[in-house]
Amino acid sequence: MTDVEVIMSEFSLSGNYRVQSRREAEPSKLIGDWFPAVEGLLDADTVNHALRAHPFWSRTTNVELRPALVTGRSGKFATEPDILYKRDFFLPDPGTMSMPVDIVDVRKSRKNWAARAACTRNLLADGTYERLTERLDDLDVVIANEYYLHEAGHFLGYDVLTKYQDGYFAPGGKTAWPLVYLEELRADLQAFGFGARLLPAAQAARILLYNVSLRFGVHREGIATRGVAPYGIVPFLLFCILRELRFVSVALMNDRWVIRLANLDEFAIVRVMRACAEHAESELTIPELATTDVIERALTAAKYVRRRLADTDAIDDYARVMESPSTSELTEHEQS
């Protein structure tokens, strides 16, 4: 990052961009302002200090990320649903500004949050969504912080960048999506651990509440509106862990199946966050570090996924609440 880019609060990017899941790039523009340094907002230096102090830091990676308030977007920045824009996939036009870091499009994320409100609300027990939104009053900061922590979660142990370099996600030459989904879960769970360390309890608890609402809400929205699962099995894997920790359960209320959250007390939530991080370390990160063979590492992860997919009770509970979207969800989504 140049001195000019550090000083300037605004940015204007013009060039060719593609998203990670696509090979095709197209002319794209992104205009906006860097998110201001407000109370409660993490930054890369703070997160990287915690990352380097972690016993499972890979020692080769750091978080290079900034949240932004985007005022204009075109091309892939506008047409793709991604809210994280990767500098590695952006080629600036000659003589124009390069993308200095990965960028989190906070406003797009907030807009998406509002658009799926009906799906998220109907997924939860009566009144739960309203209590969640009260807790997530400073949603922009929560969105930015969750992304900082999620990226740090990717960089523990056998980190995500090395996995891509090793061909870990495509052991047979073709993408093995369960491995991709499990890596996203691993990042989420380890992010909870970082959040519990770096943020006061009330702010840390928001990270879990936001993540749960995001993962479950996006899945429900995808099923309700397009018959697809945008996050694949990531929400299910998260559901399994939170169900084991007794933080979520499924209940029949007013003739509909809903997810109930056991406790919204901030200190109880932080304990769940720490337990999630410990689960990721013991079940995923440490086993991956026990060998240097890429195939063995992939097989270890595949066994974890297979074990979850063999849990018929969890599958039944999950299907009850996720697979039957209501007419009101479809109508409200269309109106938004």
Side-chain angles (χ1 to χ4, degrees):
M1 189 185 304
T2 68
D3 292 340
V4 173
E5 290 168 341
V6 171
I7 293 171
M8 294 174 61
S9 63
E10 71 279 353
F11 60 86
S12 179
L13 303 174
S14 177
N16 285 297
Y17 185 72
R18 71 175 180 88
V19 296
Q20 186 166 329
S21 58
R22 303 282 191 275
R23 292 185 177 182
E24 307 81 17
E26 70 176 52
S28 304
K29 292 184 178 181
L30 194 71
I31 302 170
D33 300 288
W34 297 117
F35 201 101
V38 297
E39 184 178 358
L41 178 69
L42 294 169
D43 57 50
D45 287 343
T46 300
V47 174
N48 284 326
H49 180 78
L51 181 60
R52 289 190 290 269
H54 198 287
F56 294 120
W57 177 45
S58 67
R59 301 189 179 279
T60 60
T61 52
N62 287 288
V63 175
E64 298 182 9
L65 175 78
R66 286 189 74 177
L69 300 174
V70 173
T71 56
R73 59 181 78 83
S74 67
K76 290 292 186 181
F77 295 127
T79 59
E80 294 289 344
D82 302 48
I83 69 160
L84 178 66
Y85 309 134
K86 297 273 194 175
R87 65 175 175 174
D88 288 347
F89 303 139
F90 178 73
L91 180 64
D93 290 333
T96 66
M97 177 183 178
S98 62
M99 187 181 291
V101 291
D102 294 346
I103 297 174
V104 177
D105 189 337
V106 173
R107 283 177 172 160
K108 183 192 281 189
S109 183
R110 187 175 58 192
K111 180 181 178 181
N112 293 345
W113 172 274
R116 63 175 174 270
C119 295
T120 309
R121 181 185 296 108
N122 288 323
L123 191 61
L124 301 170
D126 291 345
T128 302
Y129 181 80
E130 287 70 27
R131 292 197 297 275
L132 284 179
T133 53
E134 288 177 5
R135 296 286 293 275
L136 301 175
D137 55 332
D138 198 355
L139 186 60
D140 287 356
V141 171
V142 176
I143 290 168
N145 283 348
E146 198 266 350
Y147 247 104
Y148 272 123
L149 299 169
H150 179 85
E151 289 302 287
H154 274 307
F155 294 157
L156 293 182
Y158 186 29
D159 68 90
V160 68
L161 298 183
T162 305
K163 285 178 175 177
Y164 275 113
Q165 292 169 6
D166 291 349
Y168 166 89
F169 295 113
K174 184 178 180 181
T175 300
W177 285 104
L179 300 181
V180 177
Y181 298 142
L182 187 60
E183 173 60 22
E184 287 303 307
L185 176 79
R186 192 179 77 98
D188 280 350
L189 301 182
Q190 295 183 146
F192 297 156
F194 279 117
R197 283 191 202 92
L198 292 174
L199 296 169
Q203 292 184 38
R206 294 175 183 177
I207 300 299
L208 177 64
L209 295 176
Y210 171 76
N211 182 273
V212 168
S213 302
L214 172 72
R215 292 299 191 190
F216 293 169
V218 168
H219 182 84
R220 179 68 178 235
E221 179 192 39
I223 295 298
T225 61
R226 304 188 304 281
V228 299
Y231 289 147
I233 60 172
V234 179
F236 171 70
L237 296 174
L238 177 64
F239 174 82
C240 288
I241 295 167
L242 297 180
R243 182 173 175 268
E244 287 180 354
L245 294 173
R246 301 184 184 278
F247 182 68
V248 302
S249 60
V250 171
L252 184 63
M253 299 180 65
N254 300 323
D255 296 323
R256 65 188 179 99
W257 290 98
V258 296
I259 291 177
R260 297 179 62 180
L261 303 185
N263 198 329
L264 292 184
D265 173 74
E266 59 197 44
F267 296 105
I269 292 174
V270 169
R271 287 194 292 272
V272 171
M273 293 172 72
R274 291 196 180 105
C276 286
E278 291 169 1
H279 177 91
E281 290 178 5
S282 63
E283 298 295 323
L284 301 173
T285 296
I286 292 175
E288 285 180 346
L289 293 176
T291 177
T292 57
D293 185 272
V294 177
I295 298 300
E296 285 298 322
R297 286 170 158 173
L299 287 173
T300 297
K303 289 176 183 176
Y304 179 93
V305 173
R306 180 178 295 178
R307 188 164 65 250
R308 290 303 192 190
L309 293 177
D311 187 342
T312 55
D313 289 341
I315 289 174
D316 289 344
D317 272 354
Y318 186 74
R320 286 187 184 102
V321 294
M322 291 293 186
E323 303 301 327
S324 302
S326 66
T327 303
S328 65
E329 287 175 73
L330 295 168
T331 304
E332 290 183 46
H333 187 275
E334 290 170 356
Q335 293 175 345
S336 66

